Amino acid sequence: MKVEIWSDIACPWCYVGKARFEKALDAFPHRDQVEVVHRSFELDPGRAKGDIQPVIRMLTKKYGMSEAQAQAGEENLGAQAAAEGLEYRTRDRDHGNTFDMHRLLHFAKEQGKQDELIQLLYKANFAEERSVFSEGDERLVELAVAAGLEAEDARKVLADPAAYADEVRADEREAAQLGANGVPFFVLDRKFGVSGAQPAEVFTQALTQAWGERSPLQLIDQGDADACGPDGCAVPQH
């Protein structure tokens, strides 16, 4: 079974939702038969790469709330994260463009290190003092290396604005086609969708239902026909 997760590194609910989903996945009896793929979604795609600002200022400007309301929201998110065993800095975080991170995640997917990198990016953005936005590409290279990628390979990806850009845009178009206008958005076997950072129990239900409704392969012809198998290929006798 395949589970695709559309998310953004700048999305706190994606950080929390991933932990809740993984709690359900870890307890799922068929865990070793579930493939998880992370897909790209930018919450702020129009933001310039160098446009970095404090999270509280971004929230007040974007949603028209007061600083007190924005800070209260961050405190609530911190409590929700703590309940899942996650660290979360409720003050002095910043916000910026995540396109390069998504490009790097597509590269990491090719190397089999996508989940390791996205978790490190989440932790760096939400729990650590150093910024993933203001320190430039070298901060992302550090995280890529920590995830098991080669530093020079990561630098090459980040230095080429076209590298994996099409893959990011394709993910975003696909999200729109599937009706995802927010993240996190979980798609199970392209049959079931779960929107938002739902409780682990909801993910358990979704995994169980999706697994139970998988369609077995239906063979069109059950007759004997020449084929190749583990013992080799049948040799024609006539």
Side-chain angles (χ1 to χ4, degrees), residues 12-210:
W13 289 118
C14 295
Y15 179 48
V16 173
K18 182 176 185 291
R20 291 175 178 172
F21 169 75
E22 289 176 346
K23 185 180 293 184
L25 185 61
D26 287 344
F28 187 56
H30 309 288
R31 168 66 184 92
D32 60 345
Q33 297 179 63
V34 178
E35 176 191 6
V36 178
V37 177
H38 298 281
R39 302 289 191 193
S40 301
F41 190 105
E42 294 173 276
L43 290 174
D44 204 353
R47 181 176 292 273
K49 183 175 179 178
D51 185 3
I52 302 164
Q53 63 182 161
V55 166
I56 297 299
R57 186 186 305 165
M58 180 273 294
L59 291 171
T60 58
K61 183 178 179 180
K62 187 172 183 177
Y63 299 108
M65 59 177 65
S66 68
E67 287 193 9
Q69 289 172 320
Q71 187 59 55
E74 283 293 284
E75 299 293 341
N76 176 55
L77 277 162
Q80 300 261 8
E84 304 303 329
L86 301 172
E87 297 177 70
Y88 189 97
R89 296 179 67 232
T90 60
R91 296 177 183 275
D92 301 322
R93 287 193 306 107
D94 58 10
H95 175 80
N97 182 288
T98 58
F99 188 62
D100 285 348
M101 298 179 205
H102 286 295
R103 294 195 300 110
L104 199 56
L105 282 165
H106 275 278
F107 167 66
K109 179 176 180 292
E110 287 187 350
Q111 306 301 312
K113 298 294 183 180
Q114 190 186 46
D115 193 69
E116 291 87 344
L117 180 58
I118 198 170
Q119 191 59 37
L120 286 168
L121 286 168
Y122 277 139
K123 184 179 179 183
N125 186 40
F126 293 109
E128 297 177 2
E129 290 188 15
R130 294 177 61 193
S131 171
V132 293
F133 299 107
S134 63
E135 291 194 24
D137 289 353
E138 281 306 302
R139 175 66 170 138
L140 299 184
V141 170
E142 285 181 23
L143 295 169
V145 170
L149 300 171
E150 293 294 328
E152 284 308 308
D153 291 340
R155 286 193 185 96
K156 287 179 182 177
V157 171
L158 292 169
D160 179 5
Y164 301 95
D166 289 344
E167 287 82 347
V168 175
R169 298 305 184 210
D171 276 359
E172 293 174 338
R173 286 194 299 272
E174 200 163 14
Q177 292 166 1
L178 290 169
N181 53 18
V183 284
F185 188 70
F186 302 78
V187 177
L188 294 78
D189 265 354
R190 290 298 171 109
K191 290 184 178 179
F192 301 93
V194 178
S195 181
Q198 300 286 349
E201 293 77 12
V202 173
F203 290 119
T204 297
Q205 179 184 352
L207 287 166
T208 302
Q209 185 174 356

